[in-house]
């Protein structure tokens, strides 16, 4: 019997499964497609929890996710590369977004 069932074998599902297994859980991964046929095999992603309210729990989860992806990039996990990015806003914002604390090198660029 499994302790956890992870649905999906993309980067998020497989990373979650691996970390849960490392923590001692018995894990099963259920997926419609083999990992090479998932969106994660070909898609780029930008990390930041922008479509959710400023919940402190989400900031902790987001920080841990960012750290995990950064560690994977350092160790050469296929498909995981850290790249600088810019977030352009339609209207100026007087302050940094709530999730900015989760990104060590976040900075606001002014015109």
């Amino acid at each position: 019997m499994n302790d956890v069932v992870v649905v999906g074998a993309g980067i998020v599902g497989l990373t979650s499964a691996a970390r849960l297994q490392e923590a001692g859980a018995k894990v099963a991964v259920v997926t419609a497609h083999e990992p090479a046929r998932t969106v994660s095999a070909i898609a780029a992603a930008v990390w930041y929890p922008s479509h959710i309210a400023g919940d402190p729990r989400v900031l902790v989860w987001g920080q841990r996710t960012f750290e995990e992806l950064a560690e994977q990039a350092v160790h050469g996990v296929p498909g995981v590369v850290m790249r600088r990015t810019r977030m352009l806003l339609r209207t100026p914002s007087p302050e940094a977004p709530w999730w900015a604390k989760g990104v060590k090198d976040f900075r606001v660029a002014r015109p």
Side-chain angles (χ1 to χ4, degrees), residues 16 31 40 47 50 52 55 62 73 87 90 95 102 110:
S16 298
T31 183
S40 292
W47 173 96
S50 64
I52 190 165
D55 185 324
M87 185 173 95
R90 292 178 191 268
E95 57 188 45
R110 301 282 180 212

Side-chain angles (χ1 to χ4, degrees), residues 47-49 59 62-63 66 99-107:
W47 173 96
Y48 56 89
L59 183 58
Q63 285 174 311
F66 184 88
W99 50 263
K101 296 175 193 168
V103 181
K104 293 179 178 112
D105 62 350
F106 179 88
R107 66 184 178 86

